[in-house]
Amino acid sequence: IADHINTLIIVAGIALFVLIVLNAQKLSNHKSRIMEAVQRRNKKYMLSPADGSVQEDNDEDAAITPDTIRSYETAFNKDCSMHDVYAQIIPIFPLLGILGTVAGLMLETQSGDISGIVSSLNVAMSSTLVALVFSILLKGLDAVYPSRIIDEVEVMIDDYGKKIDMAEMIQRLQEQSKQVGTQPP
């Protein structure tokens, strides 16, 4: 283990880096698709400036429905799940560094000469350093790229849901006020 721990850490770190970037690109594509759909839906239902009624615009984008947006959100959530898996793997790197340290120190106790001790200390310290560097880099990448995209999409979907709820509430109130106004006294 001690001879190959640094190689294992480097290969695992590069692989995880690539997986995080590829997943972030998928999340970014989902974000663009959801943003476009939400903007189209927001244009469809607008409040009239004259009387505050809900107006339905000519719908050239009839294919964009709330169900369409929900299906986009479902696909987005699947890739978010993969992001969660990758984010949970990052803390393994310091543990791999500790494993290398322990393996190096075990070699040190078996070594009788000074060059063997220096070699085993090199394994012990280098594995910890490499693992910590990858852990820091991967955590920084995760915080800056995919996590930011996820937060932005969640806010966008939440805002969209609030707008739809508000439009439905206004429409119900208008229908109720029409019913009250048309009933005989």
Side-chain angles (χ1 to χ4, degrees):
I1 282 184
D3 295 336
H4 303 291
I5 193 73
N6 287 344
T7 305
L8 173 70
I9 293 169
I10 291 169
V11 169
I14 291 171
L16 188 57
F17 179 86
V18 169
L19 289 172
I20 289 173
V21 169
L22 291 175
N23 187 257
Q25 289 173 346
K26 283 182 181 180
L27 292 171
S28 183
N29 291 339
H30 287 300
K31 175 186 171 187
S32 298
R33 199 165 80 177
I34 290 170
M35 186 182 314
E36 180 182 339
V38 166
Q39 287 173 347
R40 285 183 178 177
R41 287 299 292 176
N42 285 343
K43 287 180 186 176
K44 180 177 167 122
Y45 296 107
M46 301 180 349
L47 291 178
S48 168
D51 61 359
S53 64
V54 177
Q55 294 180 332
E56 191 168 329
D57 212 5
N58 261 346
D59 192 11
E60 62 207 38
D61 302 312
I64 305 288
T65 65
D67 290 335
T68 305
I69 294 173
R70 275 191 283 279
S71 70
Y72 291 169
E73 184 181 5
T74 300
F76 174 78
N77 287 337
K78 286 180 183 177
D79 285 329
C80 284
S81 296
M82 287 309 301
H83 167 262
D84 290 341
V85 169
Y86 301 146
Q88 293 298 319
I89 293 173
I90 293 172
I92 290 174
F93 284 91
L95 297 174
L96 289 173
I98 292 170
L99 178 65
T101 300
V102 170
L105 292 176
M106 287 175 64
L107 284 176
E108 182 180 334
T109 60
Q110 296 171 358
S111 179
D113 62 342
I114 192 73
S115 65
I117 292 173
V118 170
S119 173
S120 61
L121 279 176
N122 183 36
V123 169
M125 295 300 125
S126 66
S127 65
T128 302
L129 176 67
V130 170
L132 288 175
V133 166
F134 268 106
S135 181
I136 291 167
L137 291 176
L138 290 169
K139 194 62 181 166
L141 171 69
D142 177 56
V144 171
Y145 194 29
S147 294
R148 183 179 50 89
I149 293 170
I150 291 169
D151 290 344
E152 289 172 356
V153 170
E154 287 175 351
V155 166
M156 183 182 357
I157 289 172
D158 189 45
D159 286 348
Y160 169 74
K162 287 178 183 176
K163 286 178 185 177
I164 293 297
D165 291 344
M166 182 65 81
E168 289 172 350
M169 183 182 70
I170 290 171
Q171 193 169 22
R172 279 193 307 270
L173 289 173
Q174 289 174 346
E175 289 171 3
Q176 288 174 356
S177 68
K178 287 179 186 177
Q179 288 175 355
V180 169
T182 58
Q183 294 176 352

